[in-house]
């Protein structure tokens, strides 16, 4: 077999592109529930003497959803936050600190 000149070598410019990617400093990630909101949800739930499973059942969500919100891992969903607010009788959004 003969090796053709430049065959299989689509390396043009990859080093420059890789350098640009390595130099990129922007951090792209989704906002999670704030730790203060997570604590507020937990305090309100405990003051009502509810378990995470009971709260989840009351708002028609899975217990893991409540767990994620209280651990600060959840992506904020305004509908779910609204349901939690109504179920616990607290205001979680729009607070000025």
């Amino acid at each position: 077999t003969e090796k053709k000149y430049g065959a299989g070598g689509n390396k043009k410019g990859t080093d420059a592109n890789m350098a640009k990617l390595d130099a990129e400093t922007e951090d792209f990630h989704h906002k999670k529930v704030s730790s203060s909101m997570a604590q507020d949800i937990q305090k309100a739930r405990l003051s009502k003497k509810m378990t995470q499973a009971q709260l989840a059942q009351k708002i028609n969500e899975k217990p893991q959803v409540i767990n994620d919100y209280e651990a600060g891992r959840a992506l904020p969903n305004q509908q779910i936050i609204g349901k939690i607010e109504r179920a616990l009788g607290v205001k979680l959004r729009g607070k000025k600190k």
Side-chain angles (χ1 to χ4, degrees):
T1 59
E2 286 182 43
K3 189 157 189 153
K4 294 184 180 178
Y5 177 76
N10 59 354
K11 282 186 153 187
K12 259 191 267 177
T14 56
D15 292 335
N17 288 338
M18 291 301 289
K20 282 182 190 176
L21 284 173
D22 287 341
E24 187 64 49
T25 57
E26 267 189 90
D27 189 19
F28 296 106
H29 62 277
H30 295 287
K31 293 199 186 269
K32 304 274 193 225
V33 173
S34 69
S35 60
S36 64
M37 181 183 278
Q39 288 174 348
D40 291 344
I41 292 170
Q42 188 173 22
K43 284 178 190 170
R45 177 180 60 78
L46 292 173
S47 72
K48 294 267 188 183
K49 295 181 173 50
M50 296 174 80
T51 64
Q52 289 181 346
Q54 289 169 330
L55 176 57
Q57 186 175 14
K58 190 168 185 175
I59 67 168
N60 294 323
E61 293 290 342
K62 293 180 180 175
Q64 186 63 43
V65 172
I66 303 301
N67 186 285
D68 287 345
Y69 271 84
E70 288 187 6
R73 290 187 302 259
L75 299 175
N77 180 328
Q78 296 305 314
Q79 284 185 312
I80 293 174
I81 293 171
K83 288 197 269 185
I84 292 171
E85 286 177 336
R86 284 190 297 278
L88 297 176
V90 295
K91 185 126 176 87
L92 301 170
R93 299 175 284 185
K95 288 194 297 185
K96 300 285 183 208
K97 283 199 170 186

